[in-house]
Amino acid sequence: MRKLKFPSAYTTLYVIIIISALATWLMPAGSYDTLSYADGQFVIEGENAATIPASQPALDSLGLQMELSKFQEGKIRKPVSIPNTYHEMDSNPQGLKAILFAPLKGIYESMDIILFVLIIGGFIGVFQHSGALEKGVGFLSEKLRGREKWLIILTMLLIALGGTTFGMQEETIAFYPILVPIFIAAGYDLLVPVAAVYIGSCIGLIGATVNPFGTIIASDAAGVSWTVGVYSRLIMLVLTGIVGISYVVRYAERVKADPTKSLLYGLGVKNPFEKKTVEAPGPMKPVTWILLSLFALTFATMVYGVSMLNWWFEEMTALFLAAALIIGVLQRISESDFVSAFVSGAKDLLGVSLIIGIARGITIVMNEGNISGTILNQASEMVSGTSALIFLPVLMIVFFVLAFFISSSSGLALVSMPIMGALGNVVGVPTEEIVNAYLFGFGMMQLITPSGLVLPSLAMVNVPYNVWLKFNMKLILIIAPIGAVVLILGYLL
């Protein structure tokens, strides 16, 4: 009898799209009024649709504790939910046509991220053509021989730092072709590199100190400065970092000592980068060091641009395109070789890019089926009326669940924070702790939600989703109580 195999990322996402469409037939339709800014005007859409002059008193009258300047400066770009405006709507169940169109619409809406990922692939392709990548990997492998676990530690620390500062997640996809050969050569399985990279990014999201896509947007939407509550986030970053790194290192060392302990043992999973071997680097030429430095400088510039210059995907994509061109010039390769290397690198990430777009289709089905507002309203009712000490841990769980349906950090913040912030004021909970509950819950869900970047990351390394779930559920059960304690201490102190 043929052994059942867990479906691919594409099938898994399409099944979730179908389930979401079925939910639009079963759940009542409803929505909150939303507010957006355009040309000095506030546009209210929903039951109380109107266009009013943009002013601070207008925001205050709507119960939105936000600064007008955040809209004027473009820091809040998406529609914001208005508290106490939930209303039932006519049902709009999604049928076969919606299910078919959802992935296509998701690809259109994700085009900025998809283009960014493809350009990163091209950048990596051009860099690999130079041979500096293999030499750098070999050099690092040689220096860490016998101490390979430090590569896991350093990788997770650096990526967690990127996550906490600028929400590093999509960018991590570029690291798998580089790191997988090193980890395999060290005697680890394919689960270890994806765990080191992806869990590292999630640690940064959970303890997001200054992440502009999560922390700053959520704080703006809640009407509080992002600097308030930063100590709780810093404590959470350190604690989850210790737990997460220890968790991955312990598994990696167990697999290295006994390969049969691997969760992938006997599954026949193939290494997608088996053609990329780690060889002795030999003498490192000056041009190799220059290329490696430029490679590192590109990522450092991206961090600086996002955190200090308000860069978005357009600027980040242009950066990697420019870096690819500069690396090509330094290699002195022909135009045809450059194009071939760039296209080949982009092609390696094409499947990942499609998965990102298909995942967005889940949210599209729920939004067009008018059930996103219903889910948010039911979630807010769950936490209303509870005591302050119970409110924060339960709210963290609520955000954990909401992040399954809305995997965009900025999107979830803008639709939920005004409503949850208003509830927090009633309960007497500091607004900054509501922001922290959102960050902790959202970050934990990113470890497993198929509508996020989990499936694209797993697809890069051929790790089945069911194996990933088995690996991470225990980690979530460890992190969740830590988050609850940090939230309660933040409230009490």
Side-chain angles (χ1 to χ4, degrees):
M1 184 176 178
R2 186 177 178 182
K3 187 177 179 181
L4 292 176
K5 184 180 180 182
F6 196 82
S8 68
Y10 305 97
T11 303
T12 301
L13 288 172
Y14 224 109
V15 168
I16 297 175
I17 288 175
I18 293 171
I19 293 173
S20 300
L22 290 174
T24 65
W25 291 81
L26 302 174
M27 297 182 66
S31 178
Y32 285 87
D33 289 353
T34 60
L35 177 139
S36 55
Y37 176 83
D39 301 324
Q41 301 283 320
F42 280 139
V43 179
I44 300 174
E45 296 182 348
E47 196 172 44
N48 303 299
T51 300
I52 59 176
S55 66
Q56 192 63 50
L59 288 173
D60 297 338
S61 67
L62 293 171
L64 293 169
Q65 301 176 9
M66 303 174 169
E67 296 178 12
L68 176 63
S69 61
K70 303 299 182 182
F71 292 91
Q72 294 172 330
E73 295 170 3
K75 293 182 178 179
I76 298 179
R77 309 180 187 186
K78 298 179 181 179
V80 178
S81 297
I82 302 174
N84 303 315
T85 61
Y86 176 77
H87 54 277
E88 293 187 357
M89 304 174 62
D90 292 335
S91 179
N92 184 31
Q94 303 293 287
L96 292 175
K97 181 179 178 181
I99 292 172
L100 180 63
F101 278 35
L104 304 179
K105 291 180 179 179
I107 291 172
Y108 278 120
E109 288 197 6
S110 307
M111 195 55 68
D112 53 350
I113 303 176
I114 290 174
L115 183 59
F116 173 63
V117 170
L118 291 175
I119 295 299
I120 281 184
F123 164 77
I124 294 294
V126 173
F127 185 66
Q128 285 179 332
H129 186 273
S130 69
L133 176 61
E134 286 76 12
K135 290 184 178 296
V137 165
F139 178 82
L140 185 61
S141 179
E142 188 176 78
K143 293 296 181 183
L144 293 174
R145 185 165 296 160
R147 303 185 302 275
E148 287 86 355
K149 68 178 181 180
W150 282 102
L151 180 61
I152 300 174
I153 296 171
L154 291 174
T155 298
M156 295 187 72
L157 284 175
L158 290 174
I159 292 179
L161 181 62
T164 191
T165 53
F166 69 97
M168 187 177 191
Q169 257 207 321
E170 289 88 354
E171 303 86 342
T172 60
I173 291 173
F175 293 113
Y176 294 113
I178 304 169
L179 293 176
V180 169
I182 304 177
F183 282 101
I184 297 301
Y188 302 134
D189 65 3
L190 286 168
L191 185 58
V192 174
V194 72
V197 173
Y198 194 80
I199 293 177
S201 71
C202 290
I203 289 170
L205 295 182
I206 294 170
T209 52
V210 298
N211 174 7
F213 306 114
T215 308
I216 295 178
I217 287 180
S219 299
D220 290 342
V224 64
S225 171
W226 64 267
T227 58
V228 183
V230 69
Y231 294 112
S232 293
R233 297 193 291 272
L234 188 58
I235 291 171
M236 190 65 176
L237 177 67
V238 172
L239 293 179
T240 54
I242 293 172
V243 169
I245 292 172
S246 301
Y247 189 82
V248 175
V249 169
R250 183 168 174 267
Y251 171 81
E253 292 299 296
R254 189 166 67 243
V255 168
K256 185 176 181 179
D258 183 1
T260 64
K261 299 294 185 182
S262 169
L263 293 177
L264 298 173
Y265 183 76
L267 297 183
V269 176
K270 294 183 178 179
N271 177 9
F273 307 107
E274 60 186 354
K275 294 181 180 179
K276 296 180 175 68
T277 58
V278 178
E279 300 176 355
M284 297 284 282
K285 298 179 181 179
V287 68
T288 302
W289 284 114
I290 292 173
L291 289 170
L292 289 170
S293 299
L294 179 59
F295 180 82
L297 181 62
T298 302
F299 284 91
T301 303
M302 178 181 64
V303 174
Y304 178 79
V306 171
S307 60
M308 304 299 294
L309 304 177
N310 295 320
W311 280 11
W312 205 248
F313 282 107
E314 184 176 353
E315 291 84 0
M316 291 190 292
T317 304
L319 169 68
F320 280 96
L321 178 59
L325 292 169
I326 294 171
I327 289 174
V329 170
L330 289 175
Q331 292 183 57
R332 298 181 180 180
I333 60 175
S334 66
E335 180 269 345
S336 60
D337 287 343
F338 174 86
V339 172
S340 177
F342 190 92
V343 171
S344 177
K347 183 177 66 177
D348 288 341
L349 296 188
L350 179 60
V352 175
S353 301
L354 291 175
I355 290 173
I356 292 171
I358 295 171
R360 183 68 62 89
I362 298 170
T363 302
I364 290 173
V365 167
M366 292 191 297
N367 288 342
E368 295 186 352
N370 297 329
I371 62 171
S372 295
T374 300
I375 294 171
L376 179 58
N377 181 62
Q378 292 177 351
S380 64
E381 290 179 351
M382 285 180 57
V383 295
S384 63
T386 58
S387 67
L389 291 179
I390 300 297
F391 180 83
L392 285 170
V394 173
L395 186 61
M396 180 185 71
I397 296 172
V398 166
F399 279 123
F400 176 81
V401 175
L402 287 175
F404 177 86
F405 302 100
I406 307 174
S407 59
S408 165
S409 58
S410 59
L412 179 58
L414 291 173
V415 300
S416 66
M417 289 310 299
I419 296 161
M420 298 304 183
L423 283 176
N425 291 334
V426 174
V427 178
V429 172
T431 306
E432 63 269 19
E433 294 306 325
I434 295 175
V435 173
N436 289 341
Y438 151 74
L439 293 169
F440 298 172
F442 178 85
M444 284 191 291
M445 177 52 77
Q446 295 315 297
L447 284 166
I448 58 173
T449 178
S451 60
L453 280 174
V454 168
L455 293 184
S457 299
L458 297 178
M460 286 287 294
V461 193
N462 282 346
V463 172
Y465 181 55
N466 58 323
V467 173
W468 180 254
L469 287 178
K470 183 178 180 180
F471 179 76
N472 275 278
M473 291 310 297
K474 186 184 295 184
L475 178 61
I476 292 175
L477 293 175
I478 297 172
I479 293 176
I482 296 174
V485 171
V486 172
L487 288 171
I488 292 172
L489 290 177
Y491 167 72
L492 295 175
L493 302 178

